[in-house]
Amino acid sequence: MAAAPEHHTGSLKEQIAKVFEVSLKVTVPDEPEVAPLIAVCSKKEAADYQCNNAMSLWSKIKGKGTEFRGPQPVGQAIMRNLPTSDMIESCSIAGPGFINVKLSTQWIAKRIQNMLTDGIDTWAPRLSVKRAIVDFSSPNIAKEMHVGHLRSTIIGDTIARMLEYSKVDVLRRNHVGDWGTQFGMLIEFLFEKFPDGEVTDQDIGELELFYKASKQRFDGDDEFKERARKAVVALQSGKEEKYQKAWAQICEISRRGFEKVYERLGVHLEEMGESFYNPYIPLALKELNDKGLIKDDEGAKVIKIIEGKKALPLVATEKDGRYSYASTDFAALWSRLPEEEVKWIILVILQSGTEEKYQKAWAQICEINRKGSKIVYQRQGVHLGESLNNTYIPLALEELDDKGLIEDDEDAKVIKIIEGNKVPPLIVTKTDGGYNYASTDLAALWYRLNEEKAEWIIYVTDVGQREHFKKIFAAAKSAGWLPADESKYPKTSHVGFGLVLGDDGKRFRTRSTEVVKLVDLLDEAKTRCKAALVERGKMAEWTAEELEQTAEAVGYGAVKYADLKNNRLTNYTFNFDQMLNDKGNTAVYLLYAHARICSIIRKSGKDIEQLKREGQMLLQTDDERKLGLHLLQFAEAVEEACTNLLPNVLCEYLYDLSEKFTSFYSECKVVGSAEETSRLLLCEATAVVMRKCFHLLGITPVYKI
């Protein structure tokens, strides 16, 4: 059989799948839509990967006149039909047809060496999407960025970086809150303080305090409130230049404050705030209205959202006319509600698969109850088995049928179940005719789909906005903007995240209960890190610039990694002492580990670029091979993190890589050994992959400690 084409880019799973795809077409030619099921082998000592197609294939082909007699023969045939490949060293069958795959150690070494000469971009995963929008950070104008904006900003940045690395055209969008009723209040207050409208950052002072002062004035003065409302109308009409100018000044002062945070975090975004989409709201709402989706509701315009999915039918009457368990249960429920006047009916079911001791205990309880109940029932003449409800079945089913709920399905009588619930409507135009967040978000979605041609639109906000975006996405599906099948493009995803907590388990705040300003938080991380470096005597060893740059890299990196290493959906506790610890799963530990690898290479005195060109990598020990294999799994980690929008997957990979390098370095002498060239190349490959991980996480690597 002809050799399979070799694929030198993308993930290991993808490359292994290509080889098995050839075999599957030969093994089961009448089953054309069989995708290879490749997974990392759960038993590391047995193999590197597994192909798990045999059992599912057997369930498809049995009874179709197949030559196979079970899943194991199917697995053996798949293994026999594998084309020759220098990637695979050996295969073996385990259990009912699982194919264990051991990769060639020589091939692993060659792949790593190719990466060192061709660049790590050749390892980038290949995603099916071409253009994505990542909507993240999104602070409000006239308010300071606080710790609550930290998660959206760094999670969104990491997702954008991973997609960009995977050759996706990413549009980074900062959907700032720069439009709305609050601007009438701010502008009118500004005119009171500065009648000519000419202001600077120094004039306003802290914009957050300016906002609070204007809000206090708005809440306590009805005449001011009315002027503020008129100012909103004047601003949104665009007819009076002074309102536009005042609004632009306030926005620009805010932007400069935001930029201080973005500069520290190394984050780049393109601002397209609420005001940008304002002209598109009428277009989007007209399209929704033309499709009959917008309804009047007490003066407001709303979109009614029905969330639901079709489930399997419930069989009420079998094909032969017999009643089913469902019939009996319906009859029992039907009889209990009107006759017994029960308000709460509880059914207790012991789940299958629980431990035997619980099953045994349950049986004993049942038997004791049965004996006791029998005495009571005999005395009272009570019988409560299924037979009791048999007489109610025709009555219950007749009522269901009268309501159009029972249908014929291949001679059986079934009830089609729709699991769903009506949720509060999505208000798109308020009773006063004004637009709201939903209006803007629908217009933004329309623009991103129709004008920017995005295939995947990702919104990074706290979990509290999940329901809002569910409604937005549901409305878009009803309008035909998005396909009903969520696996197809274009698609939308809401990336929710939990809270940042203090040591007291509550929202992270200052001692005065104020929300912590993000710029102050980052500066403190840098200050603490710099103090630790000075304490270690680095002021005498390094230049002032080196000290400053390292403090920034480690301090800011520590804040980012402490967040990103957690599953984004969970809350996490912000603690400087933990995140700046140089032991354990922290950015400090990982950055120092990278610096140590760089130090090993420097101390060898060898030209690493020359070694890349002329040297050869040989993975001779078990620790070398484990490290090499983990390096090759980098693309899989990035692909999984992208697909599931979970940056912590990449963090776990990076930490495991550091641990595997430590094991290798503990067991294998590098400098001065007979294998020095090969092991220096392995050190360099580890450093290269670590640096790419740092880049994707938005962390600046350090090269010496």
Side-chain angles (χ1 to χ4, degrees):
M1 185 174 289
E6 293 293 344
H7 295 266
H8 297 292
T9 57
S11 72
L12 274 181
K13 284 183 184 177
E14 182 185 350
Q15 294 174 69
I16 296 168
K18 291 290 183 183
V19 178
F20 274 88
E21 189 175 24
V22 175
S23 175
L24 287 166
K25 287 178 180 177
V26 175
T27 306
V28 282
D30 296 330
E31 300 289 339
E33 301 299 323
V34 179
L37 302 176
I38 308 299
V40 174
C41 187
S42 55
K43 295 182 179 179
K44 306 291 185 186
E45 66 280 1
D48 302 318
Y49 284 83
Q50 270 185 347
C51 174
N52 299 328
N53 283 89
M55 289 187 71
S56 58
L57 261 181
W58 169 245
S59 67
K60 280 186 175 184
I61 63 177
K62 65 180 178 180
K64 294 183 179 181
T66 177
E67 63 183 278
F68 303 112
R69 292 295 176 266
Q72 192 173 79
V74 175
Q76 290 168 340
I78 295 171
M79 191 170 71
R80 279 196 310 273
N81 291 325
L82 282 171
T84 56
S85 169
D86 61 3
M87 174 172 55
I88 297 176
E89 182 176 295
S90 63
C91 291
S92 60
I93 294 289
F98 300 117
I99 304 172
N100 287 336
V101 180
K102 185 174 182 181
L103 300 178
S104 162
T105 302
Q106 185 178 355
W107 181 85
I108 293 172
K110 183 181 177 182
R111 286 276 288 113
I112 296 170
Q113 199 156 355
N114 286 345
M115 180 274 289
L116 287 174
T117 54
D118 299 338
I120 195 168
D121 284 355
T122 59
W123 280 9
R126 291 172 289 189
L127 305 180
S128 56
V129 62
K130 293 180 180 178
R131 171 173 284 189
I133 287 176
V134 184
D135 180 329
F136 66 106
S137 193
S138 307
N140 288 315
I141 294 292
K143 291 185 178 180
E144 289 269 6
M145 287 183 73
H146 55 77
V147 71
H149 294 104
L150 176 68
R151 302 206 75 179
S152 177
T153 304
I154 63 178
I155 291 171
D157 180 55
T158 293
I159 288 172
R161 286 170 181 262
M162 292 190 299
L163 290 170
E164 287 161 350
Y165 175 63
S166 304
K167 307 298 187 287
V168 177
D169 177 21
V170 178
L171 306 180
R172 295 159 164 258
R173 294 289 178 256
N174 196 4
H175 191 89
V176 298
D178 65 350
W179 203 245
T181 54
Q182 76 272 25
F183 281 95
M185 173 185 80
L186 288 165
I187 290 169
E188 203 56 41
F189 192 67
L190 185 144
F191 287 158
E192 276 193 355
K193 297 289 182 183
F194 310 98
D196 59 0
E198 295 294 330
V199 294
T200 64
D201 297 32
Q202 290 74 25
D203 292 330
I204 287 183
E206 285 198 37
L207 204 51
E208 183 100 16
L209 296 177
F210 186 84
Y211 181 92
K212 288 179 180 178
S214 64
K215 182 69 167 66
Q216 189 174 13
R217 185 98 163 80
F218 182 86
D219 291 339
D221 188 328
D222 290 339
E223 189 271 333
F224 177 84
K225 184 180 291 186
E226 184 58 30
R227 281 192 284 124
R229 285 174 177 158
K230 289 179 180 177
V232 172
V233 175
L235 171 65
Q236 294 184 348
S237 69
K239 294 178 181 178
E240 294 190 53
E241 185 182 348
K242 70 173 186 176
Y243 289 99
Q244 296 287 331
K245 185 178 178 181
W247 170 75
Q249 285 180 310
I250 292 170
C251 289
E252 187 55 36
I253 292 169
S254 269
R255 264 185 217 109
R256 287 196 284 270
F258 299 159
E259 197 53 44
K260 291 177 183 177
V261 172
Y262 297 143
E263 185 180 349
R264 285 163 171 76
L265 292 173
V267 171
H268 305 284
L269 299 105
E270 183 178 357
E271 183 182 311
M272 292 179 77
E274 292 172 359
S275 61
F276 176 86
Y277 301 106
N278 205 52
Y280 298 95
I281 292 176
L283 295 173
L285 296 190
K286 181 180 184 302
E287 189 171 318
L288 292 166
N289 190 54
D290 289 346
K291 292 179 178 179
L293 295 174
I294 295 181
K295 308 292 183 185
D296 286 317
D297 189 336
E298 297 181 2
K301 301 287 187 183
V302 305
I303 299 174
K304 299 289 178 71
I305 305 294
I306 300 293
E307 293 181 331
K309 58 182 179 179
K310 195 171 182 180
L312 292 173
L314 187 67
V315 178
T317 308
E318 305 285 359
K319 293 181 182 179
D320 59 6
R322 289 181 297 110
Y323 295 136
S324 63
Y325 286 120
S327 316
T328 306
D329 289 336
F330 261 121
L333 182 59
W334 182 88
S335 68
R336 286 167 184 170
L337 291 173
E339 293 193 7
E340 297 181 17
E341 297 183 354
V342 178
K343 292 184 179 178
W344 193 6
I345 300 170
I346 304 173
L347 303 178
V348 181
I349 301 170
L350 185 68
Q351 293 182 344
S352 60
T354 52
E355 293 182 34
E356 184 182 350
K357 64 179 181 179
Y358 294 115
Q359 295 280 357
K360 187 175 179 182
W362 175 252
Q364 287 176 324
I365 292 168
C366 288
E367 185 57 31
I368 293 168
N369 275 320
R370 207 172 283 121
K371 289 175 181 176
S373 300
K374 189 175 181 181
I375 297 169
V376 175
Y377 294 163
Q378 284 175 346
R379 288 176 181 171
Q380 297 183 357
V382 175
H383 303 280
L384 296 174
E386 291 180 357
S387 60
L388 173 71
N389 298 307
N390 203 49
T391 55
Y392 292 105
I393 292 176
L395 297 172
L397 296 188
E398 182 183 359
E399 188 170 320
L400 291 168
D401 191 38
D402 289 345
K403 293 180 178 178
L405 296 174
I406 294 182
E407 302 174 14
D408 288 318
D409 189 335
E410 298 180 1
D411 297 327
K413 300 287 187 181
V414 303
I415 300 169
K416 298 292 180 68
I417 306 296
I418 301 295
E419 292 182 334
N421 59 297
K422 190 175 178 181
V423 296
L426 184 68
I427 300 172
V428 294
T429 306
K430 294 182 288 187
T431 52
D432 61 2
Y435 298 134
N436 59 6
Y437 288 121
S439 321
T440 306
D441 286 334
L442 284 167
L445 181 54
W446 182 92
Y447 182 87
R448 290 164 177 178
L449 290 168
N450 292 282
E451 299 296 325
E452 295 181 308
K453 308 297 183 186
E455 294 173 286
W456 194 7
I457 305 168
I458 300 164
Y459 297 81
V460 186
T461 74
D462 64 87
V463 291
Q465 295 190 49
R466 178 172 50 200
E467 292 305 313
H468 168 74
F469 281 107
K470 279 177 70 176
K471 291 181 185 180
I472 295 292
F473 302 159
K477 287 175 185 175
S478 298
W481 297 356
L482 298 172
D485 185 349
E486 293 185 1
S487 65
K488 294 182 179 179
Y489 294 104
K491 69 177 184 179
T492 53
S493 297
H494 176 243
V495 177
F497 52 82
L499 300 174
V500 182
L501 306 177
D503 290 328
D504 58 0
K506 299 177 182 178
R507 281 179 183 266
F508 188 49
R509 297 179 183 274
T510 63
R511 289 180 181 176
S512 61
T513 73
E514 290 289 323
V515 176
V516 180
K517 294 177 184 177
L518 195 44
V519 70
D520 294 342
L521 195 78
L522 294 169
D523 287 348
E524 184 173 354
K526 175 186 171 183
T527 300
R528 287 182 179 227
C529 191
K530 186 175 181 180
L533 290 169
V534 170
E535 190 177 334
R536 293 172 58 181
K538 299 302 176 183
M539 184 175 280
E541 299 175 24
W542 295 351
T543 65
E545 185 180 11
E546 286 176 326
L547 187 65
E548 196 75 9
Q549 288 176 347
T550 304
E552 281 186 4
V554 179
Y556 301 158
V559 173
K560 286 186 176 185
Y561 189 81
D563 186 313
L564 294 169
K565 73 176 182 180
N566 298 286
N567 185 307
R568 58 177 169 76
L569 292 171
T570 61
N571 300 336
Y572 83 96
T573 301
F574 192 97
N575 185 295
F576 276 121
D577 292 335
Q578 290 178 5
M579 64 179 60
L580 293 171
N581 195 331
D582 60 3
K583 296 179 179 62
N585 189 10
T586 67
V588 182
Y589 168 77
L590 293 167
L591 287 166
Y592 285 3
H594 171 262
R596 280 191 291 272
I597 296 171
C598 296
S599 176
I600 292 165
I601 296 170
R602 283 196 303 269
K603 286 178 181 177
S604 73
K606 299 294 175 66
D607 182 346
I608 197 67
E609 295 303 319
Q610 184 178 353
L611 293 184
K612 289 180 189 178
R613 293 190 301 271
E614 301 172 2
Q616 183 179 8
M617 183 182 293
L618 300 170
L619 306 177
Q620 297 175 316
T621 70
D622 187 48
D623 286 300
E624 286 175 300
R625 189 183 187 282
K626 285 179 180 176
L627 177 57
L629 178 61
H630 193 70
L631 287 169
L632 283 191
Q633 290 169 334
F634 167 69
E636 284 172 28
V638 177
E639 185 171 4
E640 183 184 347
C642 281
T643 304
N644 298 317
L645 301 170
L646 291 172
N648 63 293
V649 170
L650 185 61
C651 294
E652 289 166 13
Y653 171 85
L654 175 57
Y655 181 66
D656 288 345
L657 176 60
S658 178
E659 293 289 277
K660 282 180 170 58
F661 180 83
T662 299
S663 298
F664 151 73
Y665 192 64
S666 299
E667 297 297 325
C668 303
K669 182 180 178 183
V670 177
V671 179
S673 68
E675 302 85 0
E676 182 181 69
T677 295
S678 173
R679 289 175 178 172
L680 282 172
L681 288 172
L682 191 55
C683 288
E684 174 68 6
T686 304
V688 168
V689 173
M690 288 188 81
R691 284 196 286 275
K692 181 53 70 173
C693 287
F694 288 140
H695 169 75
L696 297 179
L697 297 170
I699 296 171
T700 304
V702 296
Y703 292 84
K704 62 180 183 178
I705 53 174

